[in-house]
Amino acid sequence: MYPPKGPTFKGNVTWYTVNLDSPPSERWRHVMMDKKPELLTMIQAIKDLAGGFFHGQILHLVDKELPLIVDTLPYPFNEEIKGVAVVTGVPLGEVVLFNIFYEVFTVCTSVVTEDLNGNIYHARNLDFGLFLGWDQKNQTWTLTEKLKLLVVNIDFSQNNRTLFRSTSFAGYVGILTGIRPREFTLTMNERFSIDGGYIGILEWIFGKREGMWMSFLTRKVLENATSYEDAKKQLAMTELLAPAYFILGGNQTGQGCVITRTRVNTLDIWEIDLKLGRWYVLETNYDHWDEPFFLDDRRTPAMKCINKTTQAVSRYTEVYLTTYTSLMEVSTGKLESYVRACPSPCTPW
């Protein structure tokens, strides 16, 4: 329900300001001082899971090899990651792992809608950490519950003004969900593919570094793009480390699209088209022209819900989803995010 309340509502997400005029290594200090215990708990949960594979050798590789790639990451992200490690005392390789994890696996739902007055709304539901460790006692995914404690809202400022806003995880320097007030909104969903993030990460480690990390690209676009069309061009043309869906909303009628990407090119740009009766575009983790995997069909119930709402009453409060939700209204620059405790079993809709 909206506004959220009841037994599954865990509270509003805390806001922080990150000053982009500060040295990169210092930008996240105040955030991480607050969230250090939660990050330590999260990292330990990852280590507990990884320790069960290959007799713990994965942890050895993380601590020994991943720190070596930090300086190969684009600036200023590399320096920000180092800063997070210094403040929290978490080994650098483990902070790197936390920051590249999204390139491998998540489950998401994003939707951009247009109401009868031409207002554009953007909502995203992000489930990060599914299928990674089952907590039998609490009947939930171990990493998902740990990640909820790290959810933060960030106001990125420059020259004493808000440049863009984001909902993210403390310690994660890329962007998954963001809004550049009065200009555009942006979310990113993983696209499952054989030629996926694993391949891109391995290529990067072995020296092939033409592609851009997905979450670094979305942050770069939010920092530098000056319009919906500018953002769309950058998202469609930049080579990536992993396949992705970029879901973009603008500030004018018809400005909403899903950009379907391979690592090297754009397969499709699916846009709101009122002449065709398409007043929203919705993306989970499967190409919109194909049927979703039958065990993971979030698309059908999501579309059923939105169609029931209808365009006539489509507004900010009517696109509220579940679990981890961000709601954005580009015309006002409004970003709201909520973390919810799911009943068992925890489902995204």
Side-chain angles (χ1 to χ4, degrees):
M1 62 183 69
Y2 184 95
K5 57 183 179 180
T8 64
F9 177 52
K10 299 189 73 170
N12 295 324
V13 176
T14 304
W15 278 95
Y16 294 90
T17 297
V18 168
N19 184 359
L20 295 175
D21 295 319
S22 298
S25 62
E26 297 294 320
R27 291 174 182 173
W28 297 91
R29 172 173 290 274
H30 58 300
V31 181
M32 300 318 304
M33 290 295 289
D34 280 358
K35 291 293 186 177
K36 177 179 176 179
E38 290 84 353
L39 181 62
L40 290 172
T41 300
M42 174 65 203
I43 294 295
Q44 187 59 51
I46 293 176
K47 292 170 72 172
D48 290 344
L49 286 172
F53 296 94
F54 304 107
H55 304 289
Q57 290 302 307
I58 289 179
L59 294 178
H60 175 72
L61 291 173
V62 167
D63 289 333
K64 182 180 179 181
E65 304 297 337
L66 282 187
L68 301 178
I69 76 167
V70 173
D71 288 328
T72 71
L73 298 177
Y75 180 88
F77 308 109
N78 53 356
E79 294 300 318
E80 292 184 12
I81 289 172
K82 291 178 184 178
V84 170
V86 169
V87 172
T88 60
V90 174
L92 183 58
E94 294 169 17
V95 178
V96 173
L97 177 65
F98 183 57
N99 274 273
I100 67 177
F101 198 59
Y102 191 89
E103 308 284 326
V104 177
F105 184 77
T106 57
V107 178
C108 329
T109 302
S110 295
V111 59
V112 179
T113 73
E114 178 175 336
D115 70 12
L116 291 177
N117 296 317
N119 298 309
I120 305 295
Y121 305 98
H122 192 151
R124 95 102 91 243
N125 176 44
L126 185 144
D127 291 303
F128 198 5
L130 299 188
F131 313 114
L132 296 173
W134 181 252
D135 184 335
Q136 186 65 36
K137 179 180 178 181
N138 297 308
Q139 295 290 291
T140 188
W141 299 107
T142 301
L143 293 194
T144 300
E145 292 306 302
K146 299 295 188 293
L147 280 162
K148 287 180 180 179
L149 301 176
L150 288 169
V151 177
V152 291
N153 285 331
I154 304 292
D155 189 302
F156 289 87
S157 68
Q158 193 172 62
N159 299 322
N160 296 314
R161 69 177 184 87
T162 295
L163 187 61
F164 64 97
R165 299 185 176 107
S166 171
T167 299
S168 190
F169 301 107
Y172 187 85
V173 303
I175 297 293
L176 308 176
T177 305
I179 178 170
R180 189 165 170 120
R182 290 168 291 281
E183 293 180 7
F184 61 87
T185 56
L186 174 60
T187 58
M188 175 182 62
N189 290 11
E190 183 183 358
R191 181 171 180 259
F192 303 140
S193 172
I194 295 175
D195 186 23
Y198 294 101
I199 304 300
I201 291 173
L202 288 173
E203 288 183 349
W204 187 279
I205 291 172
F206 287 108
K208 184 179 179 181
R209 298 172 182 146
E210 290 85 0
M212 186 74 172
W213 299 82
M214 295 189 302
S215 63
F216 295 168
L217 174 61
T218 52
R219 179 169 152 186
K220 179 182 176 183
V221 168
L222 283 159
E223 286 190 32
N224 299 301
T226 56
S227 68
Y228 171 85
E229 292 298 333
D230 185 15
K232 183 166 68 170
K233 181 178 179 181
Q234 291 188 43
L235 295 167
M237 297 185 67
T238 303
E239 186 172 343
L240 303 172
L241 256 69
Y245 301 103
F246 295 112
I247 301 88
L248 185 67
N251 59 12
Q252 299 178 32
T253 180
Q255 288 191 337
C257 69
V258 176
I259 303 170
T260 301
R261 289 292 315 268
T262 68
R263 294 200 296 133
V264 296
N265 56 36
T266 294
L267 295 180
D268 179 72
I269 299 179
W270 186 43
E271 300 189 87
I272 287 175
D273 191 333
L274 300 182
K275 293 180 180 179
L276 297 177
R278 188 164 61 235
W279 54 275
Y280 69 87
V281 288
L282 183 146
E283 180 57 57
T284 56
N285 300 97
Y286 304 95
D287 297 341
H288 71 85
W289 57 88
D290 288 333
E291 292 296 319
F293 180 47
F294 73 99
L295 292 177
D296 183 33
D297 184 7
R298 286 163 283 126
R299 181 195 301 168
T300 300
M303 293 181 66
K304 182 178 180 180
C305 177
I306 295 174
N307 289 334
K308 184 178 180 181
T309 299
T310 76
Q311 186 183 12
V313 293
S314 173
R315 59 185 186 275
Y316 192 63
T317 59
E318 296 294 342
V319 290
Y320 181 58
L321 311 179
T322 61
T323 312
Y324 162 164
T325 296
S326 294
L327 307 171
M328 296 177 284
E329 184 177 16
V330 68
S331 62
T332 63
K334 190 176 183 181
L335 167 64
E336 289 182 10
S337 295
Y338 304 97
V339 175
R340 302 187 69 184
C342 289
S344 178
C346 185
T347 55
W349 285 88

